Amino acid sequence: MQNPAVEMESVHYFYKYVSGAVLSRPAWFFDVKQQGEGLQDVGVHLVDLAQWQCFPNRTINYKTDIKFNNAKRWPSEITQSQFKAITKLDGFPEFLRKNVIKDTILQVYANGTVNYKLFGVNMKLTAKWAYSAPPGSADSHYSLLHGTKADLVIHQGVEEKYQPALYIKPLKNDAAYEKLLMKKLKIIQAKYTGVELKKDAGGWEVIVPEKYKDGHEAHFGRVTEKYLGYLRNGNIPKWEVPNMIAKYYTTTTALALAIKSK
């Protein structure tokens, strides 16, 4: 599918600094039989986002509501010196030898993409892993949702100082659309005070106050709190279990398709 309605891409890096030191990873992290491949690892979050953003609170039947177009996978190549920098090991262990080419390059199938339809909406989700991030950057997320009146885009590049930013790109950037947008903004502001819009050449950037920008740890804490509330009150949403099944059906079927199509 050349022009899907929804596109999401996440890029992660093996080599990272955490608390001023290089993050040390175990050798098995580079074995997809143990760690999982890209789309079946961090890519699960992309499927989660696609389901949640596009069809919130809607129950998904994985047998009838998901149709696959295609999928593919490809390796990241890690040199022996890069491997040592991350694992502190002098060489590749025996269980990784089958994935080594030219004696010094480890192929890790950490990249994958899937094109599929959810409720008839075409989606393209991609997960990538590279060795290290450009200076000043880190793991990144890109998202593009094509709407009937505008596109919603999340960029996290140089212009954004590698921080995620949300843009509204109207298909028809006229006074009527701006009036409608400002009306909807007031609804958002009633719930999230301080959210504003900054006009640019292509539309608007959504300015989100720092108080709403949760880090990973804070976000995971909120998710855990929500789950424990469901568990305590016995009111888990009806869509939770079937949508979880649909999520993992999407990623595992994508891998099967990618392997088959190679």
Side-chain angles (χ1 to χ4, degrees), residues 152-171:
L152 298 179
V153 188
I154 295 176
H155 278 300
Q156 196 172 349
V158 177
E159 291 184 5
E160 291 79 26
K161 298 180 180 178
Y162 300 110
Q163 298 299 312
L166 173 62
Y167 299 92
I168 301 172
K169 305 292 185 182
L171 303 185

Side-chain angles (χ1 to χ4, degrees), residues 109-238:
Y109 275 86
N111 310 289
T113 186
V114 60
N115 283 268
Y116 69 106
K117 290 184 179 181
L118 178 58
F119 294 118
V121 176
N122 281 294
M123 302 194 173
K124 180 182 179 182
L125 310 180
T126 304
K128 296 179 180 179
W129 279 82
Y131 175 63
S132 62
S137 68
D139 294 344
S140 64
H141 175 79
Y142 167 77
S143 175
L144 172 60
L145 279 66
H146 294 288
T148 56
K149 291 182 172 62
D151 293 341
L152 298 179
V153 188
I154 295 176
H155 278 300
Q156 196 172 349
V158 177
E159 291 184 5
E160 291 79 26
K161 298 180 180 178
Y162 300 110
Q163 298 299 312
L166 173 62
Y167 299 92
I168 301 172
K169 305 292 185 182
L171 303 185
K172 190 175 182 181
N173 198 359
D174 57 13
Y177 180 82
E178 182 170 354
K179 181 179 180 180
L180 176 62
L181 181 62
M182 295 306 161
K183 181 179 179 181
K184 297 297 183 182
L185 175 62
K186 291 185 183 301
I187 298 174
I188 297 294
Q189 290 173 329
K191 186 174 182 179
Y192 301 101
T193 57
V195 173
E196 298 289 347
L197 293 177
K198 178 183 176 182
K199 200 164 188 176
D200 60 28
W204 288 267
E205 178 183 355
V206 180
I207 306 301
V208 180
E210 289 296 323
K211 62 182 178 180
Y212 297 126
K213 296 180 181 179
D214 286 345
H216 277 84
E217 289 74 17
H219 182 71
F220 288 145
R222 288 177 60 191
V223 172
T224 302
E225 190 177 293
K226 192 78 171 178
Y227 169 73
L228 292 176
Y230 289 147
L231 198 62
R232 181 172 56 253
N233 301 322
N235 62 343
I236 188 169
K238 292 182 179 180

